[in-house]
Short mmCIF file of all heavy atoms in Angstrom, two decimals:
data_model
loop_
_atom_site.label_atom_id
_atom_site.label_comp_id
_atom_site.label_asym_id
_atom_site.label_seq_id
_atom_site.Cartn_x
_atom_site.Cartn_y
_atom_site.Cartn_z
N MET A 225 96.19 14.69 -101.24
CA MET A 225 96.81 15.71 -100.45
C MET A 225 96.59 15.40 -98.99
O MET A 225 95.46 14.97 -98.60
CB MET A 225 96.25 17.02 -100.84
CG MET A 225 97.31 18.17 -100.98
SD MET A 225 96.54 19.74 -101.26
CE MET A 225 97.00 20.00 -102.96
N GLU A 226 97.57 15.56 -98.13
CA GLU A 226 97.45 15.41 -96.70
C GLU A 226 96.79 16.73 -96.07
O GLU A 226 96.78 17.75 -96.65
CB GLU A 226 98.77 15.13 -96.03
CG GLU A 226 99.42 13.84 -96.42
CD GLU A 226 98.73 12.65 -96.10
OE1 GLU A 226 98.12 12.64 -94.89
OE2 GLU A 226 98.66 11.70 -96.85
N TYR A 227 96.16 16.51 -94.92
CA TYR A 227 95.47 17.65 -94.29
C TYR A 227 96.37 18.76 -94.03
O TYR A 227 96.12 19.95 -94.08
CB TYR A 227 94.85 17.20 -93.05
CG TYR A 227 93.52 16.37 -93.39
CD1 TYR A 227 93.54 15.01 -93.39
CD2 TYR A 227 92.33 17.12 -93.75
CE1 TYR A 227 92.39 14.37 -93.62
CE2 TYR A 227 91.19 16.33 -94.13
CZ TYR A 227 91.27 15.07 -94.07
OH TYR A 227 90.05 14.35 -94.28
N GLN A 228 97.71 18.45 -93.68
CA GLN A 228 98.65 19.51 -93.35
C GLN A 228 98.94 20.43 -94.58
O GLN A 228 99.12 21.62 -94.54
CB GLN A 228 99.97 18.96 -92.85
CG GLN A 228 100.98 20.00 -92.43
CD GLN A 228 100.36 21.00 -91.38
OE1 GLN A 228 99.77 20.55 -90.45
NE2 GLN A 228 100.56 22.30 -91.59
N GLU A 229 98.82 19.72 -95.81
CA GLU A 229 99.04 20.56 -97.06
C GLU A 229 97.88 21.45 -97.25
O GLU A 229 98.01 22.58 -97.70
CB GLU A 229 99.16 19.57 -98.24
CG GLU A 229 100.49 18.78 -98.17
CD GLU A 229 100.48 17.83 -99.41
OE1 GLU A 229 100.87 18.18 -100.41
OE2 GLU A 229 100.14 16.68 -99.16
N TYR A 230 96.63 20.96 -96.94
CA TYR A 230 95.44 21.82 -97.05
C TYR A 230 95.62 23.01 -96.13
O TYR A 230 95.30 24.16 -96.43
CB TYR A 230 94.16 21.13 -96.70
CG TYR A 230 93.78 20.07 -97.74
CD1 TYR A 230 93.60 18.73 -97.40
CD2 TYR A 230 93.42 20.56 -99.08
CE1 TYR A 230 93.18 17.84 -98.48
CE2 TYR A 230 93.00 19.61 -100.04
CZ TYR A 230 92.89 18.30 -99.68
OH TYR A 230 92.48 17.34 -100.69
N ILE A 231 95.98 22.73 -94.91
CA ILE A 231 96.16 23.80 -93.88
C ILE A 231 97.25 24.84 -94.35
O ILE A 231 97.03 26.01 -94.25
CB ILE A 231 96.66 23.22 -92.56
CG1 ILE A 231 95.41 22.40 -91.97
CG2 ILE A 231 96.99 24.23 -91.57
CD1 ILE A 231 95.74 21.54 -90.63
N SER A 232 98.34 24.37 -94.86
CA SER A 232 99.34 25.29 -95.37
C SER A 232 98.83 26.13 -96.53
O SER A 232 99.16 27.29 -96.62
CB SER A 232 100.61 24.43 -95.84
OG SER A 232 101.16 23.80 -94.74
N LEU A 233 98.16 25.56 -97.47
CA LEU A 233 97.52 26.26 -98.55
C LEU A 233 96.48 27.26 -98.05
O LEU A 233 96.59 28.51 -98.52
CB LEU A 233 96.94 25.39 -99.58
CG LEU A 233 97.85 24.51 -100.38
CD1 LEU A 233 97.01 23.47 -101.22
CD2 LEU A 233 98.71 25.35 -101.37
N LEU A 234 95.72 27.01 -97.15
CA LEU A 234 94.63 27.90 -96.55
C LEU A 234 95.37 28.99 -95.82
O LEU A 234 94.98 30.16 -95.90
CB LEU A 234 93.73 27.16 -95.65
CG LEU A 234 92.74 26.30 -96.32
CD1 LEU A 234 91.98 25.50 -95.32
CD2 LEU A 234 91.69 27.22 -97.06
N GLU A 235 96.48 28.72 -95.06
CA GLU A 235 97.16 29.70 -94.37
C GLU A 235 97.87 30.74 -95.28
O GLU A 235 97.86 31.93 -95.07
CB GLU A 235 98.17 29.10 -93.41
CG GLU A 235 97.54 28.45 -92.20
CD GLU A 235 98.52 27.66 -91.38
OE1 GLU A 235 99.60 27.25 -91.78
OE2 GLU A 235 98.20 27.49 -90.18
N ALA A 236 98.42 30.18 -96.37
CA ALA A 236 99.03 31.05 -97.39
C ALA A 236 97.91 32.02 -98.06
O ALA A 236 98.22 33.20 -98.29
CB ALA A 236 99.69 30.32 -98.42
N PHE A 237 96.79 31.46 -98.36
CA PHE A 237 95.72 32.23 -98.91
C PHE A 237 95.27 33.22 -98.00
O PHE A 237 94.97 34.37 -98.25
CB PHE A 237 94.49 31.34 -99.34
CG PHE A 237 93.40 31.87 -100.02
CD1 PHE A 237 93.52 32.84 -101.04
CD2 PHE A 237 92.13 31.66 -99.66
CE1 PHE A 237 92.44 33.42 -101.68
CE2 PHE A 237 91.04 32.28 -100.11
CZ PHE A 237 91.25 33.17 -101.27
N GLN A 238 95.10 32.85 -96.66
CA GLN A 238 94.65 33.72 -95.68
C GLN A 238 95.68 34.91 -95.55
O GLN A 238 95.23 36.09 -95.48
CB GLN A 238 94.62 32.97 -94.32
CG GLN A 238 94.31 33.91 -93.14
CD GLN A 238 94.62 33.21 -91.86
OE1 GLN A 238 95.51 32.35 -91.72
NE2 GLN A 238 93.92 33.62 -90.78
N LEU A 239 96.99 34.66 -95.50
CA LEU A 239 97.88 35.80 -95.44
C LEU A 239 97.76 36.73 -96.66
O LEU A 239 97.95 37.93 -96.49
CB LEU A 239 99.30 35.19 -95.40
CG LEU A 239 99.69 34.56 -94.10
CD1 LEU A 239 101.10 33.87 -94.14
CD2 LEU A 239 99.70 35.59 -92.98
N SER A 240 97.43 36.17 -97.82
CA SER A 240 97.35 37.02 -98.97
C SER A 240 96.16 37.95 -98.90
O SER A 240 96.13 39.04 -99.48
CB SER A 240 97.28 36.16 -100.28
OG SER A 240 96.11 35.47 -100.40
N LEU A 241 95.09 37.50 -98.16
CA LEU A 241 93.92 38.28 -98.01
C LEU A 241 93.91 39.30 -96.88
O LEU A 241 93.21 40.27 -96.86
CB LEU A 241 92.69 37.34 -97.82
CG LEU A 241 92.31 36.47 -98.90
CD1 LEU A 241 91.19 35.48 -98.49
CD2 LEU A 241 91.88 37.22 -100.19
N THR A 242 94.83 39.09 -95.91
CA THR A 242 94.85 39.98 -94.73
C THR A 242 95.15 41.44 -95.06
O THR A 242 94.88 42.28 -94.23
CB THR A 242 95.73 39.35 -93.64
OG1 THR A 242 96.99 39.25 -94.16
CG2 THR A 242 95.16 38.07 -92.99
N ALA A 243 95.84 41.64 -96.14
CA ALA A 243 96.18 43.03 -96.49
C ALA A 243 94.98 43.80 -96.93
O ALA A 243 95.12 45.08 -96.91
CB ALA A 243 97.21 42.97 -97.71
N GLU A 244 94.00 43.16 -97.28
CA GLU A 244 92.70 43.84 -97.81
C GLU A 244 92.05 44.41 -96.52
O GLU A 244 91.94 43.77 -95.54
CB GLU A 244 91.78 42.86 -98.53
CG GLU A 244 92.46 42.30 -99.71
CD GLU A 244 92.67 43.24 -100.83
OE1 GLU A 244 91.77 44.13 -101.02
OE2 GLU A 244 93.66 43.06 -101.56
N ASN A 245 91.44 45.57 -96.64
CA ASN A 245 90.57 46.14 -95.56
C ASN A 245 89.17 46.28 -96.12
O ASN A 245 88.60 47.25 -96.07
CB ASN A 245 91.12 47.50 -95.24
CG ASN A 245 91.95 47.44 -94.00
OD1 ASN A 245 92.00 46.54 -93.28
ND2 ASN A 245 92.73 48.56 -93.77
N ASP A 246 88.64 45.18 -96.48
CA ASP A 246 87.28 45.02 -97.04
C ASP A 246 86.53 44.14 -96.11
O ASP A 246 86.84 43.07 -95.88
CB ASP A 246 87.35 44.42 -98.45
CG ASP A 246 85.97 44.39 -99.09
OD1 ASP A 246 85.05 44.09 -98.47
OD2 ASP A 246 85.96 44.76 -100.25
N PRO A 247 85.30 44.56 -95.64
CA PRO A 247 84.56 43.80 -94.79
C PRO A 247 84.13 42.36 -95.36
O PRO A 247 84.11 41.37 -94.59
CB PRO A 247 83.22 44.63 -94.56
CG PRO A 247 83.61 46.07 -94.86
CD PRO A 247 84.68 45.95 -95.86
N GLU A 248 83.92 42.26 -96.61
CA GLU A 248 83.67 41.05 -97.26
C GLU A 248 84.82 40.14 -97.24
O GLU A 248 84.68 38.88 -97.02
CB GLU A 248 83.16 41.26 -98.75
CG GLU A 248 81.78 41.94 -98.84
CD GLU A 248 80.67 41.15 -98.05
OE1 GLU A 248 80.55 39.94 -98.27
OE2 GLU A 248 79.95 41.77 -97.31
N VAL A 249 86.02 40.65 -97.43
CA VAL A 249 87.23 39.84 -97.46
C VAL A 249 87.49 39.38 -95.92
O VAL A 249 87.91 38.25 -95.77
CB VAL A 249 88.41 40.64 -98.00
CG1 VAL A 249 89.70 39.94 -97.80
CG2 VAL A 249 88.18 40.90 -99.36
N ASN A 250 87.20 40.21 -95.07
CA ASN A 250 87.34 39.92 -93.58
C ASN A 250 86.47 38.72 -93.19
O ASN A 250 86.86 37.82 -92.47
CB ASN A 250 87.05 41.00 -92.71
CG ASN A 250 88.13 42.13 -92.82
OD1 ASN A 250 89.28 41.89 -93.24
ND2 ASN A 250 87.78 43.42 -92.45
N LYS A 251 85.27 38.66 -93.81
CA LYS A 251 84.41 37.53 -93.60
C LYS A 251 85.00 36.14 -94.14
O LYS A 251 84.95 35.15 -93.56
CB LYS A 251 83.03 37.72 -94.24
CG LYS A 251 82.20 38.70 -93.56
CD LYS A 251 80.85 38.93 -94.33
CE LYS A 251 80.16 40.05 -93.75
NZ LYS A 251 78.84 40.31 -94.53
N ILE A 252 85.63 36.28 -95.30
CA ILE A 252 86.35 35.15 -95.90
C ILE A 252 87.50 34.67 -94.99
O ILE A 252 87.67 33.54 -94.75
CB ILE A 252 86.83 35.50 -97.36
CG1 ILE A 252 85.64 35.79 -98.25
CG2 ILE A 252 87.66 34.28 -97.87
CD1 ILE A 252 85.99 36.32 -99.57
N VAL A 253 88.23 35.61 -94.53
CA VAL A 253 89.41 35.36 -93.69
C VAL A 253 88.95 34.65 -92.33
O VAL A 253 89.52 33.64 -91.92
CB VAL A 253 90.19 36.53 -93.31
CG1 VAL A 253 91.21 36.31 -92.20
CG2 VAL A 253 90.92 37.20 -94.50
N GLU A 254 87.82 35.15 -91.80
CA GLU A 254 87.14 34.44 -90.66
C GLU A 254 86.80 33.04 -90.98
O GLU A 254 87.02 32.12 -90.15
CB GLU A 254 85.98 35.22 -90.14
CG GLU A 254 86.39 36.54 -89.45
CD GLU A 254 85.18 37.42 -89.11
OE1 GLU A 254 84.06 36.89 -89.03
OE2 GLU A 254 85.37 38.67 -88.91
N GLN A 255 86.21 32.75 -92.06
CA GLN A 255 85.87 31.49 -92.52
C GLN A 255 87.05 30.60 -92.71
O GLN A 255 87.04 29.37 -92.32
CB GLN A 255 84.99 31.53 -93.76
CG GLN A 255 84.43 30.18 -94.17
CD GLN A 255 83.51 29.59 -93.19
OE1 GLN A 255 82.58 30.29 -92.62
NE2 GLN A 255 83.67 28.32 -92.71
N ILE A 256 88.10 31.06 -93.29
CA ILE A 256 89.36 30.36 -93.40
C ILE A 256 89.91 30.08 -92.03
O ILE A 256 90.40 28.82 -91.88
CB ILE A 256 90.40 31.16 -94.25
CG1 ILE A 256 89.87 31.25 -95.74
CG2 ILE A 256 91.81 30.46 -94.14
CD1 ILE A 256 90.71 32.20 -96.55
N ASN A 257 89.85 30.91 -91.10
CA ASN A 257 90.41 30.61 -89.79
C ASN A 257 89.59 29.44 -89.22
O ASN A 257 90.23 28.55 -88.52
CB ASN A 257 90.24 31.88 -88.82
CG ASN A 257 91.29 32.96 -89.14
OD1 ASN A 257 92.34 32.69 -89.76
ND2 ASN A 257 90.94 34.19 -88.82
N GLU A 258 88.27 29.54 -89.28
CA GLU A 258 87.38 28.47 -88.77
C GLU A 258 87.73 27.11 -89.37
O GLU A 258 87.80 26.06 -88.73
CB GLU A 258 85.98 28.78 -88.95
CG GLU A 258 85.09 27.81 -88.31
CD GLU A 258 83.56 28.24 -88.51
OE1 GLU A 258 83.34 29.47 -88.45
OE2 GLU A 258 82.71 27.42 -88.76
N THR A 259 87.93 27.10 -90.77
CA THR A 259 88.29 25.92 -91.41
C THR A 259 89.54 25.29 -91.03
O THR A 259 89.66 24.12 -90.80
CB THR A 259 88.24 26.20 -92.92
OG1 THR A 259 86.92 26.69 -93.36
CG2 THR A 259 88.54 24.88 -93.74
N ILE A 260 90.51 26.20 -90.89
CA ILE A 260 91.85 25.78 -90.38
C ILE A 260 91.76 25.12 -89.09
O ILE A 260 92.34 24.09 -88.79
CB ILE A 260 92.94 26.91 -90.41
CG1 ILE A 260 93.24 27.31 -91.85
CG2 ILE A 260 94.20 26.54 -89.60
CD1 ILE A 260 94.02 28.65 -92.03
N ALA A 261 91.05 25.82 -88.11
CA ALA A 261 90.91 25.25 -86.81
C ALA A 261 90.19 23.85 -86.82
O ALA A 261 90.62 22.94 -85.99
CB ALA A 261 90.07 26.15 -85.87
N HIS A 262 89.21 23.69 -87.63
CA HIS A 262 88.50 22.41 -87.77
C HIS A 262 89.40 21.35 -88.37
O HIS A 262 89.40 20.16 -87.94
CB HIS A 262 87.20 22.58 -88.53
CG HIS A 262 86.15 23.34 -87.86
ND1 HIS A 262 85.79 23.12 -86.54
CD2 HIS A 262 85.33 24.25 -88.35
CE1 HIS A 262 84.83 23.96 -86.23
NE2 HIS A 262 84.49 24.67 -87.35
N LEU A 263 90.26 21.73 -89.25
CA LEU A 263 91.20 20.75 -89.85
C LEU A 263 92.23 20.30 -88.87
O LEU A 263 92.54 19.15 -88.77
CB LEU A 263 91.88 21.31 -91.05
CG LEU A 263 91.10 21.41 -92.37
CD1 LEU A 263 91.93 22.27 -93.39
CD2 LEU A 263 90.69 19.96 -92.89
N LYS A 264 92.61 21.27 -88.09
CA LYS A 264 93.63 20.87 -87.02
C LYS A 264 93.02 20.01 -85.95
O LYS A 264 93.82 19.19 -85.40
CB LYS A 264 94.26 22.17 -86.40
CG LYS A 264 95.16 22.88 -87.33
CD LYS A 264 95.77 24.15 -86.74
CE LYS A 264 96.78 24.80 -87.68
NZ LYS A 264 97.34 26.03 -87.12
N THR A 265 91.81 20.11 -85.65
CA THR A 265 91.14 19.29 -84.58
C THR A 265 90.59 18.09 -85.06
O THR A 265 90.18 17.27 -84.29
CB THR A 265 90.02 20.07 -83.81
OG1 THR A 265 88.97 20.51 -84.77
CG2 THR A 265 90.56 21.42 -83.21
N GLY A 266 90.52 17.87 -86.43
CA GLY A 266 90.02 16.79 -86.97
C GLY A 266 88.56 16.75 -87.28
O GLY A 266 87.97 15.67 -87.68
N LYS A 267 87.82 17.82 -87.06
CA LYS A 267 86.49 17.87 -87.34
C LYS A 267 86.06 17.54 -88.76
O LYS A 267 84.96 16.96 -88.93
CB LYS A 267 85.88 19.31 -86.93
CG LYS A 267 84.47 19.40 -87.13
CD LYS A 267 83.86 20.73 -86.59
CE LYS A 267 82.41 20.74 -86.61
NZ LYS A 267 81.85 22.00 -86.12
N TYR A 268 86.94 17.84 -89.75
CA TYR A 268 86.45 17.71 -91.08
C TYR A 268 87.10 16.45 -91.67
O TYR A 268 86.96 16.27 -92.92
CB TYR A 268 86.92 18.88 -91.98
CG TYR A 268 86.17 20.18 -91.81
CD1 TYR A 268 86.60 21.38 -92.21
CD2 TYR A 268 84.82 20.09 -91.22
CE1 TYR A 268 85.91 22.50 -91.98
CE2 TYR A 268 84.20 21.32 -91.09
CZ TYR A 268 84.65 22.50 -91.53
OH TYR A 268 84.04 23.63 -91.40
N HIS A 269 87.67 15.58 -90.98
CA HIS A 269 88.43 14.42 -91.46
C HIS A 269 87.41 13.51 -92.24
O HIS A 269 87.94 12.77 -93.10
CB HIS A 269 89.14 13.65 -90.35
CG HIS A 269 90.36 14.37 -89.98
ND1 HIS A 269 91.46 13.63 -89.55
CD2 HIS A 269 90.77 15.60 -90.05
CE1 HIS A 269 92.42 14.46 -89.33
NE2 HIS A 269 92.08 15.72 -89.61
N ALA A 270 86.14 13.49 -91.87
CA ALA A 270 85.28 12.63 -92.47
C ALA A 270 84.51 13.27 -93.72
O ALA A 270 83.80 12.55 -94.45
CB ALA A 270 84.12 12.15 -91.54
N MET A 271 84.81 14.46 -94.00
CA MET A 271 84.18 15.20 -95.14
C MET A 271 85.18 15.32 -96.21
O MET A 271 86.44 15.36 -96.07
CB MET A 271 83.78 16.58 -94.66
CG MET A 271 82.86 16.65 -93.53
SD MET A 271 82.50 18.38 -93.06
CE MET A 271 81.63 18.99 -94.47
N ALA A 272 84.66 15.35 -97.41
CA ALA A 272 85.52 15.50 -98.59
C ALA A 272 85.84 16.92 -98.77
O ALA A 272 85.00 17.82 -98.67
CB ALA A 272 84.78 14.97 -99.80
N LEU A 273 87.10 17.19 -98.93
CA LEU A 273 87.50 18.62 -99.24
C LEU A 273 87.63 18.89 -100.75
O LEU A 273 88.28 18.05 -101.49
CB LEU A 273 88.86 18.90 -98.54
CG LEU A 273 88.90 18.83 -97.08
CD1 LEU A 273 90.27 18.90 -96.46
CD2 LEU A 273 87.97 19.85 -96.48
N THR A 274 87.10 20.01 -101.22
CA THR A 274 87.19 20.30 -102.61
C THR A 274 87.75 21.72 -102.72
O THR A 274 87.76 22.49 -101.91
CB THR A 274 85.79 20.27 -103.31
OG1 THR A 274 84.83 21.15 -102.54
CG2 THR A 274 85.26 18.83 -103.28
#
């Protein structure tokens, strides 16, 4: 899978979670945002994604 595909999947997952008004879910959304940002900047290119 290419990184853009990972980003697209994460963005779709993020959108599905944003409807929740749960503090724990909001933490997950924040982590997804950070991961997407790192993927876009290339920070995780040397790491294996699972």
Side-chain angles (χ1 to χ4, degrees):
M225 224 185 248
E226 295 293 322
Y227 285 99
Q228 186 56 46
E229 291 177 84
Y230 288 119
I231 292 169
S232 296
L233 290 171
L234 284 168
E235 288 173 336
F237 183 49
Q238 173 195 30
L239 285 174
S240 71
L241 293 176
T242 55
E244 302 290 325
N245 263 342
D246 183 318
E248 292 302 313
V249 173
N250 290 338
K251 290 178 188 177
I252 295 168
V253 170
E254 288 175 18
Q255 185 62 47
I256 292 170
N257 287 337
E258 184 178 325
T259 302
I260 290 170
H262 290 314
L263 283 170
K264 287 181 177 179
T265 61
K267 183 174 182 176
Y268 288 161
H269 283 210
M271 298 176 67
L273 296 172
T274 57

